[in-house]
Amino acid sequence: MNNNVYITGFSGSGKSTSGRELAILLEREFVDMDSEIEKLHEQTIPDIFEEHGEVGFRGFETGLLTQISGKYGQIVSTGGGVPTIPQNVKIMKRTGKIVCLLASVETLSKRISDHSNIAGGKADRPMLYSDDQTERIRDLLDIRRDSYNQADLLVDTEDKSPKMVAIEIAKVLEL
């Protein structure tokens, strides 16, 4: 095991913000998989989905995860669908601990909407394109629940700052 910490969870659960806080707290390197994929492919995630589809995008995630997992001691924010691929879970379990961040459907929807408004209106999450975002979140959470429950640690992020979440992760995992 190489002691990475993989932060998983649904869009809006706080993977990137809490992951950055954890990296600062532990003085470790932080890797945001979505940002890395955009850099590697010189495209936004919605553009990658449009050109390559979800299957292509998931393949890019697995390739990047394989590469990332070869390094030691990183805090890695994964895409929300990463743990839905069994091969990805095996990679993460073999090379570190998986932490899944949780929040209510209503909180996730609000956070995603707030982020989209800040980012300029159009949601940057292709899996959530829907006339009823809250219902889409509920459906995807139902589909992903078993995948998310494979984590070594589940952390409820309701009413917690990213720093509070980071401290909880570090304490429970004894990092």
Side-chain angles (χ1 to χ4, degrees), residues 84-148:
T84 65
I85 309 295
Q87 177 183 354
N88 293 346
V89 174
K90 287 178 187 169
I91 291 168
M92 292 187 291
K93 291 242 182 215
R94 189 179 69 244
T95 61
K97 295 286 185 187
I98 304 172
V99 176
C100 183
L101 304 185
L102 307 171
S104 70
V105 171
E106 295 74 25
T107 296
L108 294 171
S109 186
K110 180 177 178 353
R111 289 177 184 171
I112 291 164
S113 293
D114 289 350
H115 180 267
S116 295
N117 290 336
I118 293 167
K122 185 180 178 190
D124 57 354
R125 295 164 171 92
M127 291 300 294
L128 297 181
Y129 291 168
S130 172
D131 290 335
D132 186 344
Q133 178 177 278
T134 302
E135 193 58 35
R136 179 70 177 143
I137 291 169
R138 193 177 323 282
D139 291 346
L140 280 172
L141 276 173
D142 285 344
I143 292 166
R144 294 178 178 180
R145 188 168 327 292
D146 290 343
S147 300
Y148 288 160

Side-chain angles (χ1 to χ4, degrees), residues 10 19 78 81 164 174:
F10 202 81
T78 72
M164 289 169 63
E174 300 178 347

Side-chain angles (χ1 to χ4, degrees), residues 13-121:
S13 63
K15 298 181 300 288
S16 295
T17 53
S18 297
R20 277 189 192 87
E21 287 289 339
L22 184 61
I24 291 166
L25 180 69
L26 300 176
E27 299 179 345
R28 291 191 183 189
E29 180 182 356
F30 175 73
V31 179
D32 185 306
M33 285 185 60
D34 285 345
S35 295
E36 290 300 313
I37 287 173
E38 287 183 333
K39 282 184 215 167
L40 284 169
H41 295 275
E42 298 179 342
Q43 289 182 296
T44 64
I45 299 229
D47 289 342
I48 293 169
F49 260 80
E50 190 172 313
E51 184 174 330
H52 301 279
E54 183 182 359
V55 172
F57 178 74
R58 298 291 174 217
F60 295 152
E61 284 181 320
T62 299
L64 178 61
L65 182 63
T66 300
Q67 180 184 347
I68 288 169
S69 69
K71 288 187 174 180
Y72 178 83
Q74 304 164 103
I75 307 300
V76 180
S77 170
T78 72
V82 166
T84 65
I85 309 295
Q87 177 183 354
N88 293 346
V89 174
K90 287 178 187 169
I91 291 168
M92 292 187 291
K93 291 242 182 215
R94 189 179 69 244
T95 61
K97 295 286 185 187
I98 304 172
V99 176
C100 183
L101 304 185
L102 307 171
S104 70
V105 171
E106 295 74 25
T107 296
L108 294 171
S109 186
K110 180 177 178 353
R111 289 177 184 171
I112 291 164
S113 293
D114 289 350
H115 180 267
S116 295
N117 290 336
I118 293 167

